[in-house]
Amino acid sequence: MDPLIRSYYLLKPMLPRAARASLRRWHASRIRQRCGDTWPIQVTAGAKPEGWRGWPDGHRFAFVLTHDVENRVGYSRVRHLAEVDQAGGFRSSFNFIPRGDYVVDAELRGWLARAGFEVGVHDLHHDGKLFTSRETFREKARDINQHLKEWGAVGFRSGFMIHRLDWLHDLDVLYDASTFDTDPFEPQPDGVGTIFPFWVQHPSGRGYVELPYTLAQDSTLFLFLGERSTELWKRKLDWIVERGGMALVNVHPDYVAFDGRPMSGEFPVELYREFLDYVRTRYQGQYWAALPSEVAGWYKRECVERGTVATNGQPTCRPSSINSAGVDGRLHGKRAAVVVFSYFPSDPRPRREALSLAKAGMTVDYFCLRDGPSVPTRETRDGINVFRMPITRQRSKWSRYVTQYLGFLVMVGAMLSWRSLRRRYDLVHVHNMPDFLTFTAVIAKLRGARVVLDLHDPMPEVFQSIFRGGERHPAVRLLKLQERLSIAFADLAITPNIAFKERFVSRGCPPEKMNIVMNSPQEDVFGALADPPPPTRDPNAPFRLMYHGSLVDRHGLDTAVEAVAVLRERMPNLFFNIYGYPTPYVDEIMAMVKARQLEAVVRYHGPRSLDEIARLIGEADLGIVPNRRTVFTEINMPTRVFEFLAKGRPVIAPNTRGIRDYFKEDEMIFFEPSSAEDLARQILWVYEHPDATRQIVLRGQRIYAQHRWKDEERFFRKIIRELLP
């Protein structure tokens, strides 16, 4: 739970109502500023579930009304709100607190039932303590089940939307409604990332339907954010309708003013009426106006009982991401920590894998560096809780690397340990470099977490490439030792290519412990395979080379600049664009550019977001990976190769083992590493042979198609599922 929100609920009984409202409004405004890209719409939540056949009777979307009754004032307004729903032609669910400050009498429940409404159970005491411990929940579950039976209710919603979906199997319910697709304003802000119902299965095979709310709560919208219209509701509804999802809203009678004179902490009922009118008139005949129990009963019957169940226990109608790999019954509700000495969201591999875990339904805490004082120290993006340490990566001497690594190790280790002691993690996913970051998970592992070490690069080879160290250098031997210890401490190891795996295994890693998850481009950014360039080219049009990635000596930009200088006379329309974070090496390259009078030809544009890189690749004529030959680059398989192919662009890559493990001579345009003359020759060949280049791109795309992220992600999820108990 957000520490500020936790403090708010602890202090709530002692704060005047006006002070509580001011505190929530201030905090909500801060959250809204940092979460504008995932709220109120999280784009990935709109993907249809795998096997989805649509709503009953061909309806375009489902429209579901729910009402949580929090206090005596709200209880006194139940009939008034029910009559508003009736007047609009709708029925709804009223969720009552069994042991709140009001008594739910049988007469009111009977009136609601006769009028076609539904009654659900809302928490037990509504004090935020329902999930304090597993034993406490089991005890309270017996009391909740008694009220479910007494009221004839089949649905549950917890107080403050705090949720542990794996614990809710203790309740005798058809459905739960304690989650949301995206809502960073909640005390527990981890959304389930879907606007569709889904099945939460117990290992025994039984389960219940989860109904996330998908429209902002009235309290968030009108009280904390101060909205004075329903435009945000309407915009989100229109988006849900386009994707055929479920529009489920929660309106509290406690906050609705029915007499036209809203008090502090209330909003006029006219806003709610106007929204219902919008739904009824704009989408007449297109919506299924259903009670929560009707949606849950239909989903269980049509998507679970009549659907085929996969080996992981999930029905085929489970929610999915854009690549049909979404909410996962074995991972849903579990907690993961990601540790990476890099920035978020600019580092693609950790971001991709963390996003996959979040879309699977895990709560993901992401511990990383802070890229400057203007970047927030904490935010929630794409369902990932990002914690940035006050360290900015600086490329310098090896001693500076060690200092930064150790500082990050101490800070993250302390924070991760503290959070683990408060509530244990199920998974800690550590990305190197450095390898020893895996030891930030010592306390988490003692508390039961499984540890995954993601070896992006072998550190001994990287050191040799950067500092020209030999195999027997003391630092190289030390790096090999910490590599062995780190892999031994981890429960599972992952690396991105064949050559890396063989190198780690040769140094003592058990082969069965090491898995390959390739650095494949994220398909919601790079899209489906794009067509290669046409077989002809306008000789007068600019010919644009592109490089993007780390700007370091081993990546051979000096070789690329020399090649451009060689070609300047033969290709007067040649331009070379460079993208990446600034480093001292960039200054060397730009000095080289100036010395060769190439300022009008070679241009450095600084860093760009992943979305911008994908767009720029699509505008380039040729990508280059000009790596010089080192002990590291010889076994590396650069992600950039796949990124260019994904966008249908030709790419020239070094003739090295790591790339040749995947591409043959006629599937890639190779050059001899460190040779500016050979790189220039291949650039000129691509320029003069557009038709032959196109054929090589098509053959290269067939290789990429075998390693697309949707398949790599499926394998990644599989090994994580098998690892966790």
Side-chain angles (χ1 to χ4, degrees):
M1 183 185 289
D2 186 306
L4 185 59
I5 294 294
R6 179 182 289 276
S7 301
Y8 168 82
Y9 285 115
L10 290 173
L11 295 173
K12 184 177 179 180
M14 297 175 279
L15 292 174
R17 184 171 182 174
R20 297 200 306 264
S22 296
L23 180 61
R24 284 300 304 266
R25 283 195 295 270
W26 172 76
H27 189 56
S29 66
R30 291 175 65 235
I31 293 174
R32 190 173 192 175
Q33 290 175 4
R34 75 186 190 213
C35 296
D37 60 339
T38 58
W39 186 89
I41 294 172
Q42 181 179 326
V43 174
T44 55
K48 287 184 173 61
E50 183 180 338
W52 183 256
R53 297 181 181 179
W55 298 103
D57 302 320
H59 287 115
R60 192 175 177 189
F61 68 104
F63 185 61
V64 184
L65 299 175
T66 67
H67 307 299
D68 291 351
V69 185
E70 294 192 346
N71 55 41
R72 294 173 187 170
V73 173
Y75 187 78
S76 70
R77 297 172 176 176
V78 166
R79 289 185 186 240
H80 297 300
L81 191 55
E83 288 166 357
V84 173
D85 291 340
Q86 280 181 312
F90 300 100
R91 297 294 184 272
S92 54
S93 168
F94 284 86
N95 301 313
F96 296 106
I97 303 171
R99 301 195 181 279
D101 66 352
Y102 56 83
V103 176
V104 185
D105 62 72
E107 193 278 328
L108 178 61
R109 297 200 315 269
W111 181 85
L112 288 170
R114 289 191 298 273
F117 290 84
E118 180 181 328
V119 170
V121 172
H122 188 30
D123 209 271
L124 184 60
H125 299 283
H126 203 278
D127 56 2
K129 299 178 181 179
L130 181 63
F131 296 96
T132 302
S133 71
R134 189 71 182 91
E135 287 305 313
T136 298
F137 182 80
R138 286 193 181 102
E139 182 179 335
K140 292 181 178 181
R142 288 191 286 271
D143 201 348
I144 293 171
N145 284 334
Q146 184 61 38
H147 284 88
L148 285 163
K149 183 178 180 180
E150 180 184 339
W151 295 354
V154 295
F156 176 80
R157 176 179 280 153
S158 65
F160 312 118
M161 300 297 169
I162 300 172
H163 46 271
R164 282 296 304 263
L165 300 189
D166 51 336
W167 293 8
L168 292 183
H169 292 294
D170 291 348
L171 301 183
D172 300 328
V173 292
L174 170 65
Y175 72 88
D176 171 67
S178 307
T179 59
F180 38 85
D181 61 330
T182 175
D183 193 341
F185 305 99
E186 287 296 341
Q188 184 181 337
D190 52 312
V192 294
T194 182
I195 57 173
F196 293 86
F198 59 92
W199 179 248
V200 182
Q201 185 160 297
H202 188 269
S204 66
R206 58 187 175 84
Y208 61 88
V209 178
E210 183 65 26
L211 301 177
Y213 70 77
T214 56
L215 297 175
Q217 292 200 57
D218 57 340
S219 53
T220 300
L221 198 62
F222 302 121
L223 306 188
F224 304 138
L225 296 179
E227 294 288 325
R228 299 183 183 275
S229 75
T230 60
E231 288 307 309
L232 193 144
W233 264 351
K234 293 175 183 175
R235 178 160 64 91
K236 179 68 176 288
L237 174 72
D238 294 342
W239 181 82
I240 291 171
V241 172
E242 289 177 2
R243 285 147 185 82
M246 176 180 63
L248 191 153
V249 67
N250 185 23
V251 172
H252 302 72
D254 314 69
Y255 310 138
V256 183
F258 291 91
D259 58 5
R261 298 189 302 275
M263 305 287 286
S264 175
E266 295 181 341
F267 67 93
V269 69
E270 285 74 24
L271 287 173
Y272 182 55
R273 283 199 183 104
E274 187 263 339
F275 178 65
L276 294 183
D277 288 341
Y278 178 81
V279 176
R280 188 179 64 252
T281 56
R282 180 178 178 87
Y283 295 109
Q284 185 176 11
Q286 300 181 51
Y287 58 85
W288 178 30
L291 294 171
S293 61
E294 292 173 333
V295 174
W298 168 83
Y299 185 88
K300 182 181 180 183
R301 183 176 61 255
E302 298 297 326
C303 291
V304 180
E305 293 173 356
R306 296 183 183 178
T308 57
V309 179
T311 55
N312 66 354
Q314 279 297 96
T316 56
C317 293
R318 68 183 184 272
S320 65
S321 69
I322 57 169
N323 53 26
S324 302
V327 176
D328 188 306
R330 290 282 301 279
L331 302 181
H332 196 281
K334 295 184 182 295
R335 300 183 73 234
V338 176
V339 179
V340 53
F341 188 82
S342 184
Y343 303 119
F344 181 90
S346 59
D347 197 339
R349 181 178 177 91
R351 174 179 178 266
R352 253 194 323 266
E353 293 172 350
L355 184 60
S356 177
L357 296 177
K359 289 190 296 183
M362 297 186 77
T363 298
V364 179
D365 294 343
Y366 193 105
F367 301 91
C368 60
L369 301 175
R370 189 181 184 193
D371 188 14
S374 62
V375 180
T377 56
R378 179 176 177 181
E379 66 173 334
T380 299
R381 295 183 61 172
D382 297 328
I384 299 170
N385 305 315
V386 183
F387 300 86
R388 294 185 174 92
M389 304 299 108
I391 297 176
T392 301
R393 182 170 54 193
Q394 298 178 8
R395 300 182 185 276
S396 184
K397 297 179 180 179
W398 182 250
S399 59
R400 187 60 181 265
Y401 276 101
V402 173
T403 302
Q404 294 176 75
Y405 285 160
L406 291 176
F408 187 74
L409 173 76
V410 171
M411 279 187 258
V412 173
M415 180 176 283
L416 183 57
S417 298
W418 176 70
R419 293 180 68 84
S420 298
L421 291 170
R422 294 174 66 208
R423 185 178 170 196
R424 79 173 191 87
Y425 287 101
D426 299 284
L427 175 73
V428 180
H429 187 179
V430 179
H431 296 260
N432 89 330
M433 298 183 298
D435 304 340
F436 59 71
L437 287 180
T438 187
F439 295 107
T440 58
V442 169
I443 300 299
K445 186 166 185 175
L446 290 173
R447 294 269 291 147
R450 299 293 192 268
V451 180
V452 174
L453 176 57
D454 204 323
L455 294 152
H456 296 204
D457 301 309
M459 285 190 71
E461 282 74 15
V462 172
F463 178 91
Q464 289 177 262
S465 296
I466 296 175
F467 299 101
R468 307 290 197 267
E471 185 78 15
R472 305 299 298 172
H473 191 286
V476 174
R477 298 169 70 178
L478 181 62
L479 289 172
K480 289 180 179 179
L481 174 63
Q482 65 98 35
E483 175 187 287
R484 287 196 299 273
L485 294 174
S486 300
I487 293 175
F489 177 78
D491 298 289
L492 183 75
I494 299 174
T495 200
N497 67 55
I498 297 169
F500 281 4
K501 177 178 179 178
E502 292 180 358
R503 188 60 57 96
F504 292 124
V505 170
S506 72
R507 291 201 282 253
C509 175
E512 64 276 8
K513 193 173 189 176
M514 182 68 64
N515 297 270
I516 295 176
V517 177
M518 292 200 72
N519 280 330
S520 302
Q522 196 164 309
E523 291 170 83
D524 60 346
V525 175
F526 285 84
L529 282 175
D531 290 333
T536 57
R537 178 176 293 119
D538 181 356
N540 298 314
F543 189 79
R544 293 157 298 196
L545 301 182
M546 178 177 172
Y547 171 89
H548 66 285
S550 300
L551 301 175
V552 292
D553 177 74
R554 65 181 177 274
H555 288 171
L557 278 175
D558 55 325
T559 303
V561 171
E562 291 285 6
V564 170
V566 170
L567 293 169
R568 188 176 188 184
E569 298 301 323
R570 299 190 63 177
M571 297 178 62
N573 55 349
L574 178 66
F575 295 93
F576 182 27
N577 296 305
I578 302 170
Y579 303 90
Y581 279 92
T583 64
Y585 181 63
V586 175
D587 297 332
E588 297 178 24
I589 292 301
M590 297 318 292
M592 180 180 178
V593 168
K594 184 175 181 180
R596 287 159 177 72
Q597 299 181 337
L598 294 172
E599 296 99 319
V601 178
V602 180
R603 298 166 182 169
Y604 169 59
H605 301 275
R608 292 292 187 271
S609 70
L610 195 61
D611 292 287
E612 290 178 294
I613 289 296
R615 177 182 60 81
L616 291 165
I617 290 176
E619 296 173 357
D621 294 290
L622 174 62
I624 58 173
V625 182
N627 293 355
R628 65 174 73 256
R629 192 186 296 278
T630 69
V631 66
F632 170 72
T633 59
E634 180 64 32
I635 58 174
N636 187 35
M637 167 57 198
T639 313
R640 287 160 286 163
V641 171
F642 281 164
E643 290 173 346
F644 283 111
L645 290 174
K647 301 299 288 185
R649 302 293 98 177
V651 55
I652 298 176
N655 188 0
T656 55
R657 154 76 196 282
I659 300 175
R660 279 196 170 275
D661 278 339
Y662 295 92
F663 294 94
K664 298 177 182 177
E665 192 73 41
D666 63 345
E667 296 166 341
M668 179 58 56
I669 303 165
F670 289 108
F671 83 102
E672 194 57 34
S674 305
S675 172
E677 292 75 16
D678 197 46
L679 179 57
R681 179 180 64 83
Q682 293 292 54
I683 293 171
L684 184 62
W685 184 89
V686 170
Y687 178 74
E688 293 178 341
H689 299 85
D691 188 29
T693 298
R694 177 183 171 85
Q695 297 306 313
I696 292 176
V697 172
L698 289 171
R699 289 191 289 270
Q701 285 185 324
R702 287 199 288 269
I703 303 302
Y704 164 59
Q706 299 170 20
H707 303 283
R708 292 174 67 171
W709 175 240
K710 65 178 182 181
D711 299 314
E712 298 297 318
E713 180 182 29
R714 195 171 290 122
F715 178 71
F716 172 68
R717 293 264 193 91
K718 174 180 178 292
I719 59 177
I720 298 299
R721 281 197 305 270
E722 292 173 350
L723 177 67
L724 298 185

